[in-house]
Amino acid sequence: MKIFKFGGASVKDANGVKNVVNVLKEVGHQDTLLVISAMGKTTNAMEKIVDSYFTDKNQLDLVIQEVVDTHKTIINELFEAKNHEIHNRVNALIEEFKGFLMWNKSPKYAFVYDQVVGYGELLSTTIVSAYLDEVGLNNHWLDVRDLIKTDNSYRDAQVNWERTQKEVTSTVNKNKLNITQGFLGSDENNFTTTLGREGSDYTAAILAYCLKAESVTIWKDVPGVLNADPRHFNETKLLHKISYREAIELAFYGASVIHPKTLQPLQGREIPLHVKSFLNPKEQGTTVGKGTKISPETPCFIVKKNQVLLKLSSLDFSFIVEENMSEIFKLFHDYKLKVDLIQNSAISFSVCLDNKFGGLKEILPVLEQKFKVTHHEAVSLYTIRHFDENSVEKILNGYSVLVEQRGKETIQLVVK
């Protein structure tokens, strides 16, 4: 069986949905399971509904209507019949989450978030499934919440693999074209859960693992995985092959390749992952799998901007040892500062941090009680995998280097 994952960009409007049909007709759809995300920016819109529910109920009807209008527009462009059954099915889903917001008594944001935001995926798959039927691609719509069972860690649920394997094996007919949602699961009380960052890719991997799938294909609006983000680098190359280990390494350093939790179940069964363009479905794209580390062999560039370089040194010139490290890292955790690079000497400790949650201002006076502290804000962290001196020179041009760290295959540079 093959697993195809289509993200929000691929079904953002009626033309996107029609293009999904074109892709399926061009590459084949036998024995295939489609995992589909919410349409376009619907997840952001659903998050606005949750925020309004907690902070400004006067706006609630307005933000709900925005979601309704978006989906109604797509339906009207896809289906000619004004009395098509899809209208009733979509209305029923909208009434479901509106009803939940009326009777809910839980004050817990994460719980409410998961019960509401997932309707973006339920709406998109319901519409796509109906359109596939309309054009003669008979399919079986599945509620992924019946398949992927998790704990109740809302917004970042952990998969119960034993129960999930049982449900997937007993429910999915491998001989049909199936369609289901990404991002979602359910707990033992059948409340909806979400799988966290890159949840739809992870869904595809979970289902592939349980079905012992032939392959997973993630369809994107780019030709595959590039050696650098074209938003930050002028010259980029398509990577044709990447090993599981290399993809995890790139993701660890911050590349938006594939999230490691998506790769882990695929690696377990050696299921290849293809990243291909839904605009040019017959092009080769990128394959992540066993074997070749990276092809072509070329430097891969990753940049994280707006970072903070923090340097701590002991006030009395004593060594910074394990006890100090433990205390420092606990503070980083408590103030939600993500560590991206570490460099230490006998009496000093430098660290490059991501301050996206704004904890820097609060942590500085705490650290200054025990250490001499200097820091640089708005620095950039460049990582080059498979570097050579020419690739390093490209980065250094015009920057001053604050920290440099070299390994056999990877160099990291904090620059200002």
Side-chain angles (χ1 to χ4, degrees):
M1 194 171 198
K2 300 189 293 281
I3 312 292
F4 286 175
K5 183 260 176 174
F6 289 93
S10 63
V11 290
K12 66 181 179 181
D13 53 25
N15 287 333
V17 176
K18 291 174 182 178
N19 187 62
V20 169
V21 173
N22 294 336
V23 171
L24 295 177
K25 287 181 175 178
E26 196 164 343
V27 303
H29 51 81
Q30 300 301 315
D31 310 330
T32 301
L33 172 57
L34 309 180
V35 175
I36 297 186
S37 301
M39 292 173 150
K41 301 294 184 183
T42 299
T43 299
N44 293 342
M46 300 303 291
E47 288 174 342
K48 279 176 65 178
I49 291 173
V50 177
D51 289 341
S52 296
Y53 174 77
F54 280 102
T55 62
D56 187 2
K57 282 193 168 65
N58 293 328
Q59 292 291 311
L60 192 54
D61 287 343
L62 182 64
V63 291
I64 290 174
Q65 193 59 45
E66 289 175 8
V67 171
V68 174
D69 291 345
T70 297
H71 290 84
K72 292 287 186 181
T73 298
I74 293 172
I75 289 171
N76 290 334
E77 291 179 18
L78 290 174
F79 302 92
E80 290 184 14
K82 299 303 178 188
N83 61 346
H84 195 286
E85 177 61 22
I86 187 60
H87 292 281
N88 295 331
R89 291 165 65 188
V90 165
N91 287 338
L93 288 170
I94 291 163
E95 291 304 315
E96 267 184 37
F97 77 75
K98 286 170 72 175
F100 167 80
L101 292 172
M102 288 179 64
W103 62 254
N104 171 62
K105 296 290 189 289
S106 174
K108 296 179 179 177
Y109 184 93
F111 172 76
V112 174
Y113 180 100
D114 277 10
Q115 307 322 301
V116 173
V117 170
Y119 276 89
E121 278 72 17
L122 294 168
L123 287 166
S124 70
T125 52
T126 298
I127 294 168
V128 174
S129 175
Y131 185 70
L132 292 177
D133 282 335
E134 188 82 351
V135 298
L137 295 182
N138 295 330
N139 64 94
H140 185 212
W141 185 91
L142 295 164
D143 190 331
V144 79
R145 297 173 297 180
D146 296 333
L147 303 177
I148 296 180
K149 309 306 287 186
T150 72
D151 64 8
N152 61 359
S153 302
Y154 299 109
R155 298 197 70 184
D156 191 23
Q158 304 303 302
V159 176
N160 181 326
W161 285 94
E162 187 176 341
R163 286 195 61 202
T164 298
Q165 179 71 72
K166 181 181 175 184
E167 297 298 339
V168 171
T169 303
S170 63
T171 304
V172 179
N173 184 337
K174 292 187 180 183
N175 300 315
K176 290 187 175 182
L177 172 61
N178 296 276
I179 179 170
T180 196
Q181 307 76 39
F183 188 47
L184 310 180
S186 68
D187 64 17
E188 60 182 10
N189 295 312
N190 288 326
F191 286 115
T192 305
T193 56
T194 60
L195 302 175
R197 184 184 163 201
E198 305 296 336
S200 291
D201 289 355
Y202 188 33
T203 302
I206 294 165
L207 296 173
Y209 180 90
C210 293
L211 291 163
K212 298 180 181 177
E214 170 191 318
S215 63
V216 173
T217 303
I218 295 176
W219 296 96
K220 300 172 87 70
D221 55 359
V222 293
V225 178
L226 303 174
N227 74 323
D229 188 332
R231 292 173 298 179
H232 302 300
F233 297 89
N234 293 327
E235 298 175 13
T236 60
K237 293 180 181 177
L238 177 66
L239 303 176
H240 300 301
K241 292 184 180 179
I242 312 173
S243 68
Y244 296 116
R245 184 180 185 86
E246 182 65 28
I248 289 172
E249 289 278 3
L250 289 169
F252 171 79
Y253 288 113
S256 56
V257 189
I258 307 294
H259 197 279
K261 72 179 182 182
T262 298
L263 292 165
Q264 285 155 1
L266 299 180
Q267 185 178 17
R269 291 213 197 276
E270 295 185 2
I271 299 169
L273 171 69
H274 307 295
V275 181
K276 301 182 75 172
S277 167
F278 58 71
L279 301 173
N280 299 291
K282 283 293 181 74
E283 288 187 357
Q284 180 183 356
T286 302
T287 298
V288 181
K290 188 180 178 184
T292 307
K293 185 155 55 177
I294 190 167
S295 174
E297 288 191 17
T298 188
C300 295
F301 299 85
I302 303 152
V303 60
K304 291 185 175 182
K305 294 184 178 281
N306 295 316
Q307 304 290 291
V308 177
L309 181 63
L310 195 64
K311 183 177 180 181
L312 310 177
S313 52
S314 53
L315 294 171
D316 59 359
F317 292 97
S318 60
F319 291 163
I320 292 184
V321 292
E322 287 80 359
E323 184 181 347
N324 306 120
M325 296 278 197
S326 174
E327 182 181 359
I328 292 166
F329 274 90
K330 185 178 185 308
L331 287 170
F332 291 156
H333 172 77
D334 292 345
Y335 288 91
K336 296 184 177 180
L337 292 158
K338 183 179 179 297
V339 177
D340 289 323
L341 177 144
I342 303 165
Q343 191 172 78
N344 65 298
S345 66
I347 58 172
S348 70
F349 174 79
S350 296
V351 59
C352 189
L353 300 164
D354 190 327
N355 185 38
K356 68 179 178 180
F357 294 108
L360 179 70
K361 186 177 179 181
E362 295 176 55
I363 199 175
L364 286 176
V366 180
L367 291 169
E368 285 167 351
Q369 293 175 18
K370 289 196 172 184
F371 303 98
K372 179 184 176 183
V373 181
T374 57
H375 75 283
H376 301 271
E377 296 186 49
V379 301
S380 295
L381 171 62
Y382 282 89
T383 303
I384 312 174
R385 287 278 293 166
H386 312 293
F387 70 95
D388 55 28
E389 291 310 315
N390 189 38
S391 64
V392 175
E393 284 302 315
K394 284 184 181 178
I395 300 301
L396 293 181
N397 186 25
Y399 285 118
S400 58
V401 178
L402 303 176
V403 173
E404 177 180 319
Q405 196 158 276
R406 291 184 182 230
K408 184 178 178 182
E409 294 184 295
T410 305
I411 184 169
Q412 291 190 283
L413 303 161
V414 180
V415 301
K416 181 92 172 169

